[in-house]
Amino acid sequence: MTEEPIVQEFTGPSLGAMLRGWRERALLTQEQLAERAGLSVRTIRRLEGDHPHRPRGTSLSLLAAALSLNAAEQRRLITTARAGIAPAGDAAAPRQLPRATAPFVGRRTELSALDAARATAEVLAVVGCAGIGKTALAVHWAHRVADRFPDGHLYVNLHGFDPNPQPLHPAEAIRNFLHALGVPRQRVPAGTNAAAAMMRSAMAGRRLLIVIDNARDAAHVRPLLPGGTGCLVIVTSRNQLPGLITAGAAPVVLDPLPDADARQLLTGRLGSVRADAEPQAVAEIAALCGGLPLALCIMAARAATHRGFSLGALAAELRATGGRLDALSGHDSFADLRGVFSWSYRILSAAAARMFRLLSLHPEHDIGVPAAAGLAGLPARQAHRLLTELHHAHLLAEPTPGRYRQHGLLRAYAAELTEIHDACP
């Protein structure tokens, strides 16, 4: 077994004796403690020696779990191990947050909601439809509060909604977290439950900020959650994550940007000179994108790569009958709105997928359960279950109880699918 990396000598006299006392109380030999904690026997001997060395925080957490230390004993272990050590000893703390989106526009209400929720919840769930800006908001806010988590910042993209239909397995995400926290990969147990237990031990007593991005559902997230207090988790998903909300996570639901913020986002991407030259075109593009940040960014990128096109011409292309999604498509799968929408559509049940398509035939954007049932030729109770499934997937909004609404761009996508799947022969 490879020796746990050791840094900086600890000069206090009590760490070794304290560990020996706890080990003997647990009726463990050094070999048994090493096996239970996932550390080398050599590391245990050095820590219990007359001149112990300070282990990484990960090793302290693993030892605390292996010795079944209570909260007071864990604090004593960490305090004793850190005594006399300069802050530079924590330089290896992971810093994995992605770069924040610039310029970041709007979301003042949502940012305030995250600030308020942090005081009462240890898991924050940022949810909303495809392209609504969940990751941008979560990463932007995480950077704002990162300095309050001195033991590190972890990030993982679970690829729950992605060109690849197979999301990242929680076991792989756990291995990545443990490796970032100093546990060699070869020491991580093969089973998801055992690896998750080791991860919780490694996180115990630490103040970590953890961003779990693009989760498929609550089951995708649960194995990655810390077991104790002190850590803060931010989860993003197109799923409403009711299982996490029921367990105490604080939801922050994203709606499309208001018109003013949508225009500001476009102006920031286009440059004020170009935007100010055609304010009506900017307003029209913002309206046709329905306040969806991804659509706005795709149009801004299109304008940037076609400098000779007027914004009015781009607005006309977006406005053209049947061309709305064509103007928002591209060769990059993450900048192709049809593709991005499809990642939500493909995991629906067959009946919910059919309901999603048929809703585009309704003359109004809002629809109630009776009208949806008539449209699909289904009993009202079954229609309500399908509408609920679409709502949980954020393919429908429910602005008032029992009334559902499709975003304009999702409605255009559903209409295209209807022509393919539901057209009469």
Side-chain angles (χ1 to χ4, degrees), residues 1-6 15-24 28-53 55 58-64 66-67 77 187:
M1 185 178 287
T2 306
E3 182 185 9
E4 174 76 2
I6 301 292
L15 178 60
M18 190 164 54
L19 285 173
R20 281 195 302 276
W22 284 329
R23 176 175 58 77
E24 290 168 0
L28 296 173
T29 65
Q30 290 183 334
E31 290 76 10
Q32 289 169 330
L33 176 58
E35 182 178 359
R36 182 180 290 190
L39 301 173
S40 69
V41 176
R42 184 182 177 188
T43 296
I44 300 299
R45 288 171 179 163
R46 295 184 71 181
L47 288 172
E48 290 189 4
D50 293 334
H51 300 286
H53 288 60
T58 305
S59 299
L60 295 176
S61 298
L62 294 173
L63 285 168
L67 293 165
L77 172 64
R187 294 192 189 163

Side-chain angles (χ1 to χ4, degrees), residues 174-191:
I174 290 169
R175 281 192 288 271
N176 292 339
F177 280 173
L178 283 169
H179 182 64
L181 294 172
V183 178
R185 291 186 183 273
Q186 63 270 24
R187 294 192 189 163
V188 180

Side-chain angles (χ1 to χ4, degrees), residues 236-261:
T236 75
S237 181
R238 300 183 189 187
N239 187 290
Q240 285 192 350
L241 303 175
L244 292 187
I245 308 304
T246 302
V252 176
V253 183
L254 300 194
D255 293 319
L257 291 172
D259 288 343
D261 288 344

Side-chain angles (χ1 to χ4, degrees), residues 82-226:
R82 290 183 174 177
I85 303 299
D90 289 332
R95 298 287 186 264
Q96 295 185 341
L97 292 182
R99 182 176 179 178
T101 300
F104 185 85
V105 172
R107 300 298 190 200
R108 290 171 290 277
T109 299
E110 292 85 352
L111 289 168
S112 296
L114 287 168
D115 288 337
R118 178 177 168 266
T120 58
E122 294 175 344
V123 179
L124 312 180
V126 179
V127 297
C129 75
I132 201 71
K134 300 177 291 295
T135 299
L137 174 67
V139 172
H140 176 80
W141 186 80
H143 278 286
R144 283 185 20 169
V145 300
D147 61 349
R148 301 172 192 179
F149 298 89
D151 293 319
H153 320 132
L154 298 171
Y155 172 88
V156 64
N157 182 349
L158 292 181
H159 300 287
F161 300 88
D162 200 78
N164 185 340
Q166 294 301 319
L168 185 71
H169 195 281
E172 183 61 27
I174 290 169
R175 281 192 288 271
N176 292 339
F177 280 173
L178 283 169
H179 182 64
L181 294 172
V183 178
R185 291 186 183 273
Q186 63 270 24
R187 294 192 189 163
V188 180
T192 302
N193 291 339
M198 177 179 279
M199 182 199 71
R200 291 191 294 270
S201 295
M203 291 179 175
R206 291 188 174 198
R207 294 178 61 194
L208 293 164
L209 177 62
I210 305 164
V211 179
I212 302 174
D213 195 13
N214 197 8
R216 174 71 63 90
D217 51 31
H220 204 186
V221 175
R222 286 193 190 98
L224 306 179
L225 299 179

